[in-house]
Amino acid sequence: VDFECYHKGEDIEVFFTNANPQHGDWVAIYRANANPNNLHESRMWLYTCGTQRCSGAEDTGALVFGAGSPNESAQDVWPLEPGNYRVFLIREGNSPYEAYAESGVFSVKPTGQSCFPTPPPTDHQPEYLLLGVFSVKPTGQSCFPTPPPTRPPTRVPTPPPTRPPTPPPTRPPTRPPTRVPTPRPTRPPTPLPTRAPTRPPTRAPTPPPTRPPTRPPTRAPTPAPTPDPCDDSIFVEQSCHDFDEQIIFDFGICHPERGDFVGIYDAGVGPNNLGEPLMWLYACGTQHCTFLTGENELVFGDERPDETNLIAWPLPPGDYRAFLLREGRFPYEPLAVTMKFSVLGRGNSCDGSTDDYAATDSNGGFSPAVSSDSGCYMFEQSISVEFLNPGPLEFDWIGVYRSENFDVDNPGRARLWLYACGNQHCSRTVDAGNVMFGPNYPVESGRSAWPLEPGYYIVVLLRGRNEVRHVGNEFTVMDPYEQCFGNSLPQPVAAPIYAPTFNRPVQPPASDPVYVPHYSPVFVPVHVAPSRVPGSGAGRPDVQTDKFCYTVGETVATVFTNPDPKDIDWVGIYDAHIENYEIQNPLMWLWLCGDQFECTGEVPYGTLYFGAGAPEESASLSWPLPPGEYAVLLVTGDNNTPYYVKSFGNDFTVAEYC
């Protein structure tokens, strides 16, 4: 530190050198009596790159703890209370932490108390105070050197100067290092762990995947044996997987190192000649994380993180093995290997069934297809649309048009529309699935808003602005109080199936990339259970905000549906660039029952409000949210069980003006 004593509220500048810098190294202030080998939560801290949200490995630099930006709060907020402290250089990991450098003890004085002793009172205060060493000689001994005996001095030595020197500065500063690092704020790193929900679960939940498989298996997965604590092991949860179904691995490493990873290989590759894997993830959960992990569950086929290497998800049909590997040697030497597992082709299922609508073209591949689940709907009845979309792109979408004036060559703006990924703001590619048009979230408004007026309509699968991939069936919306009678199965429309070309520019379907209706969306009422999860098909967890832009201080409403609810499910607000391994550190959060402390219960659907006043939603941040980009997630878990994302919701913006 630059001084040994500070007045309360005075900036504290810390200089450091870091011989082996890594992302996640941080500098923290602790009480002077803290044990450097057993450190828990600090008083204040900053990453070596300068803030609590930056990312970068710095080998030398200077950090300032003080008023204003950056925020260094942990147990305490600025200013430090009077007392004695030390500063430690620490590497990110699990608590308790171990310091690998420490400063000397420094003190913080109360307001009005000086960092230097007060001189004793005298009758006459000199104009200057001369500080230095002086001596007292015995009687008869001169204060000046005795001249040599052979020659008497010819003149008296010049007396010392009468004017005292300029007084020294009140505190000699420590010279800072010669180079200060350039901060590199790229993506927000994992902040110091904040207090996550503490209520113990009523029972340990079955961790749900963040994206359900295309078709859940009908038989139970192969159980994974408990790994020996000193025997490296890896297990695949199922021996058979449908096409595009998530693949989950459980592993244990006796002596973990940074750089341990799981790679998927063709089943015919020998363990003694392992080159580049088809796909891989570090043991800590992504392709970019760095912290040590001795045991974990990795999910391949999730929306995030990206596991791409030689190929991208999904795995093509075939037989595979996964290896637990360690960086450093090439070819890789496995620590452990799974049994062989299979991925089946489209239209086939591990339970022996085939896809009900596996339409094929003359080449044996899949053709685009779209159909509503009925040919007749009562007024305000929800409309479910299923689709098959080979070769998907981000801006593929489903539109509802009036059938009497639909032009396949110039479809124009749809009455209602949703992207294939389920709402009007997502950007994932989806090759098969269903979307829901109805009164609840998501908003599907185009030329019209929900509900559709009585009349005749068709469903269409489109790409970009005007490229029709497939014209689906015609259906009827009845007048209010009228019933559907007779055959309500979907009927084909007379319009020909459009043979699309694939060289047109891909653009969003509406004239504006995002259509924001002028009315407030209708939320899922707390007392009525929806028949299906809006926009994602039956039985899937979902969470969305009621808007995509909020002004600073405006209440954020989050609408959720939560099949198979648990007592430890909660909604969290995160930075928009959240990774799976960062979910234990929400910016703000609430139990689904409505607060952080008192409520309890399993809640299958409802709305939570983040805003001023009760309930308290603070975690890493307190209300209001500052301007920035955020994401809302539906999460399960607490301090006694692992955290898992049940649903990645939408991103939203907080700004001064929307």
Side-chain angles (χ1 to χ4, degrees):
V1 293
D2 55 346
F3 297 112
E4 296 180 355
C5 177
Y6 300 85
H7 299 116
K8 183 178 179 181
E10 185 178 3
D11 287 356
I12 300 172
E13 190 167 10
V14 179
F15 304 98
F16 66 88
T17 55
N18 192 7
N20 182 28
Q22 293 187 17
H23 294 278
D25 292 346
W26 47 289
V27 171
I29 298 176
Y30 286 83
R31 289 287 188 180
N33 59 356
N35 182 353
N37 297 315
N38 189 29
L39 297 171
H40 294 274
E41 188 174 1
S42 64
R43 298 292 168 179
M44 299 180 182
W45 69 277
L46 291 170
Y47 282 123
T48 55
C49 48
T51 72
Q52 289 188 353
R53 304 180 67 82
C54 61
S55 177
E58 306 295 342
D59 57 359
T60 183
L63 303 175
V64 177
F65 292 78
S69 183
N71 177 25
E72 63 276 283
S73 303
Q75 285 194 62
D76 298 338
V77 297
W78 189 262
L80 275 175
E81 292 299 318
N84 295 326
Y85 298 90
R86 280 189 293 172
V87 184
F88 296 96
L89 184 59
I90 304 171
R91 179 142 294 160
E92 196 170 46
N94 296 323
S95 177
Y97 309 106
E98 183 175 355
Y100 58 98
E102 62 183 89
S103 74
V105 176
F106 65 92
S107 60
V108 175
K109 298 294 185 182
T111 304
Q113 183 175 335
S114 173
C115 281
F116 300 96
T118 304
T122 61
D123 295 336
H124 172 68
Q125 291 292 333
E127 183 178 358
Y128 299 99
L129 179 64
L130 178 64
L131 302 178
V133 178
F134 64 92
S135 61
V136 177
K137 299 292 186 180
T139 303
Q141 183 175 337
S142 172
C143 283
F144 302 101
T146 305
T150 56
R151 262 178 72 187
T154 57
R155 60 188 179 90
V156 178
T158 304
T162 58
R163 187 170 65 86
T166 304
T170 56
R171 289 182 291 177
T174 303
R175 184 164 59 88
T178 57
R179 184 168 73 86
V180 178
T182 303
R184 295 180 293 171
T186 51
R187 64 177 182 84
T190 309
L192 277 181
T194 58
R195 186 175 63 83
T198 55
R199 186 171 69 261
T202 54
R203 62 187 181 87
T206 302
T210 59
R211 181 164 62 91
T214 305
R215 187 181 306 103
T218 56
R219 51 187 170 70
T222 304
T226 303
D228 188 311
C230 277
D231 183 16
D232 299 331
S233 58
I234 182 170
F235 303 95
V236 60
E237 289 200 346
Q238 296 174 205
S239 60
C240 179
H241 298 80
D242 295 344
F243 186 81
D244 199 24
E245 182 182 359
Q246 290 177 341
I247 303 174
I248 302 174
F249 302 97
D250 295 284
F251 67 86
I253 308 173
C254 183
H255 302 290
E257 294 183 10
R258 289 180 177 85
D260 294 342
F261 69 100
V262 172
I264 296 178
Y265 291 79
D266 187 274
V269 175
N272 298 320
N273 188 29
L274 295 175
E276 289 292 328
L278 302 174
M279 301 178 182
W280 69 276
L281 290 173
Y282 279 127
C284 46
T286 73
Q287 291 189 354
H288 306 286
C289 57
T290 59
F291 53 87
L292 290 175
T293 305
E295 58 181 16
N296 199 1
E297 178 185 89
L298 295 183
V299 180
F300 286 71
D302 203 349
E303 295 174 3
R304 292 185 253 182
D306 181 21
E307 61 277 284
T308 302
N309 194 42
L310 297 180
I311 62 174
W313 187 266
L315 274 174
D319 295 331
Y320 302 91
R321 294 183 191 273
F323 291 87
L324 185 58
L325 305 167
R326 178 159 292 166
E327 274 185 336
R329 295 184 180 180
F330 191 85
Y332 300 110
E333 297 180 2
L335 303 176
V337 61
T338 68
M339 65 178 183
K340 183 173 70 175
F341 61 92
S342 302
V343 175
L344 301 185
R346 291 183 187 273
N348 297 313
S349 174
C350 291
D351 61 8
S353 64
T354 58
D355 201 324
D356 292 334
Y357 63 105
T360 61
D361 59 22
S362 59
N363 298 321
F366 289 87
S367 298
V370 63
S371 175
S372 64
D373 62 343
S374 176
C376 180
Y377 298 89
M378 292 182 290
F379 184 69
E380 295 187 335
Q381 181 181 353
S382 295
I383 301 168
S384 177
V385 177
E386 294 185 340
F387 63 90
L388 191 65
N389 186 33
L393 296 179
E394 285 187 359
F395 292 121
D396 294 344
W397 55 288
I398 289 89
V400 176
Y401 291 85
R402 283 279 195 178
S403 58
E404 59 265 24
N405 56 7
F406 178 72
D407 182 355
V408 70
D409 295 313
N410 186 25
R413 194 174 182 191
R415 298 284 174 170
L416 304 176
W417 71 273
L418 292 169
Y419 284 126
C421 46
N423 60 48
Q424 292 188 351
H425 304 276
C426 56
S427 59
R428 301 188 303 276
T429 59
V430 182
D431 58 3
N434 75 309
V435 296
M436 179 73 71
F437 296 88
N440 302 319
Y441 195 88
V443 175
E444 62 275 283
S445 303
R447 291 183 63 186
S448 305
W450 185 267
L452 282 173
E453 297 176 355
Y456 298 95
Y457 298 89
I458 56 171
V459 288
V460 184
L461 177 63
L462 303 101
R463 171 165 292 170
R465 188 177 297 277
N466 288 314
E467 181 182 322
V468 176
R469 303 206 75 197
H470 188 265
V471 178
N473 62 284
E474 184 179 57
F475 64 88
T476 304
V477 175
M478 303 298 292
D479 288 317
Y481 310 111
E482 290 189 358
Q483 300 288 325
C484 290
F485 295 99
N487 181 15
S488 63
L489 295 176
Q491 300 298 315
V493 70
I497 294 178
Y498 184 69
T501 59
F502 296 96
N503 54 1
R504 303 184 186 183
V506 177
Q507 299 176 2
S511 56
D512 298 321
V514 175
Y515 180 80
V516 180
H518 65 275
Y519 63 92
S520 298
V522 180
F523 301 122
V524 181
V526 174
H527 59 282
V528 178
S531 59
R532 301 170 75 93
V533 179
S536 59
R540 297 187 183 182
D542 188 39
V543 62
Q544 303 284 340
T545 58
D546 62 330
K547 296 169 62 177
F548 295 93
C549 183
Y550 300 86
T551 56
V552 176
E554 183 179 359
T555 298
V556 177
T558 60
V559 184
F560 65 89
T561 49
N562 185 33
D564 190 24
K566 306 294 182 185
D567 192 37
I568 53 174
D569 295 341
W570 46 284
V571 168
I573 293 177
Y574 296 81
D575 185 275
H577 304 287
I578 176 69
E579 293 283 359
N580 237 335
Y581 62 88
E582 299 172 319
I583 61 173
Q584 74 272 22
N585 296 310
L587 303 177
M588 299 181 181
W589 68 275
L590 289 170
W591 296 115
L592 295 192
C593 50
D595 64 29
Q596 289 187 356
F597 305 104
E598 301 298 332
C599 70
T600 183
E602 299 176 352
V603 184
Y605 48 85
T607 304
L608 294 175
Y609 297 93
F610 293 79
E616 175 62 39
E617 63 275 286
S618 300
S620 301
L621 293 180
S622 298
W623 189 263
L625 284 169
E629 301 292 328
Y630 300 94
V632 59
L633 275 66
L634 178 60
V635 185
T636 187
D638 64 4
N639 281 351
N640 299 298
T641 58
Y643 297 101
Y644 294 98
V645 177
K646 301 183 80 170
S647 175
F648 279 96
N650 61 285
D651 293 352
F652 64 93
T653 302
V654 175
E656 295 294 337
Y657 304 97
C658 288

